[in-house]
Amino acid sequence: MNMEIPELQQFLEAMGQQKFRAKQIFQWIGRGVREIDDMTDLSRDLREKLKLSAHIGSLNIRRKLVSKIDGTAKYLFELTDGNVIESVLMRYKYGHTVCISSQIGCKMGCKFCASTQAGFMRDMTAGEMLDQVVSIGRDAGEKIGNIVIMGIGEPFDNYDNVIKFLRLIHDPNGMDMGYRHMTVSTCGLAPQIARFTGENMPVNLAVSLHAPDDKLREAIMPIGRKYSIDKLIEACKIYTEASGRRITFEYAMISGVNDSLETARKLALLLKGMFCHVNLIPANLVAGSGFDQSSKKHLLEFKEALVHSGIETTVRRELGSDINAACGQLRRSEMEKNS
C-alpha cells in the first residue's frame, strides 16, 4: 500500500465512492490483510471495484533463514518485478525489531559492504518498505516494536519514499509506531541530513562513520570524497540540537585499517562534546573485499580508549552469525546462483 489517507480519499472519490472509506482501507492494510475480500466492512460492490483498479502489495518469501543461536530470522523477499531484497527480524528482550531495505542494491560503493557488490537496480517505494514490516509481522505472528532502515541501500538516496514510509508507519490509523521507535541509517549524505532535520520527525539517526579523518574515510567510503567529515559532523550536530535525539555513529572495525589506538584517539577528539554514542561493529567478512575483522583484543582496546575519553561506546551484539545476517550477503549469493 503506497498511499496515505488523503491520497486514498482522492482515489476513492475519483471512483465515485465516499472518502471515509479511505480510513477503513488504511486500517486493514495496517493489520496485515492480504486480500481485498478480507476487508469485511466494505460493501461487496466496492470490493469488486477495488479489485479492478488496485491491489495490495505482497512480497513473496523466496528464502527464510532462522538462527539456531538467537532466533534471528533473515528473509529474502521477491518483489512483483522479480527483484530480490533482504530484511531481518531481530528478537530482543524488550521486543522485536525489523531491519528493512530501502533500495534494490546500493550506489554508495563502500568497499567493505556486500550490499553494493551486487549492483544497484532501483529505489523501493514506500509501500514496498511498509510491506517488509507487515509481511514479517504476519509470518512471525509477532508485534513489531521497532524499525531500522539499515538493510540494502542508502535511505537518504531514496529520500522522498523513505519520508513517506515513515509517515505511513507512524499514522495512528495504521501501525501507529512512534518516531522514537524508528532508526534511519545513512552513510553520511550531509545535505539530506540537514533536510531531514526540517521534517520535524524525532527519528533516531545512525551515521556510518568508520573513520575519524577524510583520508582514511575516502579510502573505504567513496561518499567521503563528496562530503567531508567536517560537513558531516556539522549536519549531525544541527540534527541533535533540533531533534533532541542522540546520534549513533556506526564504526565497523576492520583489521589493520581503522582499528589502531591512534585512530581511536582521533575519533574521540572528533566527537568530543557531541550528544552521541559510538557503536563498534565487528566487521562482517565479505568475500572479495580484502578486509578482515579486527581481533577481539583490538576491539576492546579501541572501546576502552573511547570510553576513557568520555565517549559513550558499545560493541554491537552479533545476531544471526550462523545465517550471515549482515545485509547484502543473501541477495548477492542468490544473484550469483541465478547468473
Side-chain angles (χ1 to χ4, degrees), residues 212-213 216 251 253-254 256-269 280 294 296-309:
D213 60 67
L216 179 54
Y251 196 99
M253 295 285 288
I254 306 171
V257 177
N258 66 350
D259 63 345
S260 70
L261 285 178
E262 180 185 357
T263 306
R265 286 189 282 268
K266 286 182 180 180
L267 181 61
L269 187 62
L280 299 179
S294 293
K296 188 174 181 179
K297 178 177 180 290
H298 274 98
L299 196 153
L300 293 178
E301 289 176 345
F302 198 97
K303 176 188 174 183
E304 185 178 342
L306 291 176
V307 172
H308 182 73
S309 298

Side-chain angles (χ1 to χ4, degrees), residues 130-143:
L130 180 65
D131 208 6
Q132 292 173 69
V133 182
V134 172
S135 295
I136 290 176
R138 182 171 50 234
D139 179 73
E142 304 279 0
K143 177 178 173 58

Side-chain angles (χ1 to χ4, degrees), residues 157-188:
D157 189 44
N158 186 16
Y159 188 91
D160 291 338
N161 282 315
V162 165
I163 295 301
K164 188 172 187 178
F165 162 74
L166 295 174
R167 289 199 300 259
L168 284 170
I169 205 162
H170 177 66
D171 194 302
N173 295 294
M175 295 192 72
D176 192 22
M177 183 177 292
Y179 285 130
R180 294 174 187 271
H181 292 276
M182 307 178 197
T183 299
V184 175
S185 175
T186 176
C187 69

Side-chain angles (χ1 to χ4, degrees), residues 33-73:
V33 72
R34 292 183 69 96
E35 303 292 339
I36 290 173
D37 278 332
D38 291 335
M39 299 180 182
T40 52
D41 57 356
L42 303 183
S43 68
R44 182 180 297 274
D45 178 64
L46 175 54
R47 281 180 275 162
E48 292 302 320
K49 289 179 179 178
L50 285 173
K51 284 189 284 185
L52 294 174
S53 55
H55 73 280
I56 301 173
S58 58
L59 303 176
N60 175 48
I61 301 175
R62 182 181 285 191
R63 290 183 67 191
K64 176 185 174 184
L65 304 176
V66 180
S67 170
K68 295 178 181 178
I69 299 172
D70 51 43
T72 298

Side-chain angles (χ1 to χ4, degrees), residues 52-206:
L52 294 174
S53 55
H55 73 280
I56 301 173
S58 58
L59 303 176
N60 175 48
I61 301 175
R62 182 181 285 191
R63 290 183 67 191
K64 176 185 174 184
L65 304 176
V66 180
S67 170
K68 295 178 181 178
I69 299 172
D70 51 43
T72 298
K74 186 163 189 177
Y75 293 82
L76 184 72
F77 285 119
E78 181 177 356
L79 283 67
T80 54
D81 63 0
N83 278 304
V84 292
I85 52 97
E86 295 174 29
S87 311
V88 180
L89 171 66
M90 296 169 285
R91 303 175 188 274
Y92 298 100
K93 291 180 180 178
Y94 57 79
H96 301 314
T97 296
V98 166
C99 178
I100 68 166
S101 295
S102 57
Q103 295 179 307
I104 304 170
C106 185
K107 306 173 190 174
M108 298 299 108
C110 298
K111 294 184 178 181
F112 51 85
C113 181
S115 295
T116 194
Q117 294 184 10
F120 175 81
M121 301 301 294
R122 66 170 175 84
D123 290 334
M124 298 188 70
T125 67
E128 288 171 330
M129 286 182 261
L130 180 65
D131 208 6
Q132 292 173 69
V133 182
V134 172
S135 295
I136 290 176
R138 182 171 50 234
D139 179 73
E142 304 279 0
K143 177 178 173 58
I144 305 303
N146 301 278
I147 303 298
V148 180
I149 311 179
M150 201 181 282
I152 296 171
E154 163 54 55
F156 284 158
D157 189 44
N158 186 16
Y159 188 91
D160 291 338
N161 282 315
V162 165
I163 295 301
K164 188 172 187 178
F165 162 74
L166 295 174
R167 289 199 300 259
L168 284 170
I169 205 162
H170 177 66
D171 194 302
N173 295 294
M175 295 192 72
D176 192 22
M177 183 177 292
Y179 285 130
R180 294 174 187 271
H181 292 276
M182 307 178 197
T183 299
V184 175
S185 175
T186 176
C187 69
L189 279 64
Q192 283 83 346
I193 293 174
R195 183 181 174 190
F196 189 57
T197 302
E199 301 288 351
N200 295 316
M201 294 176 169
V203 170
N204 301 298
L205 193 63

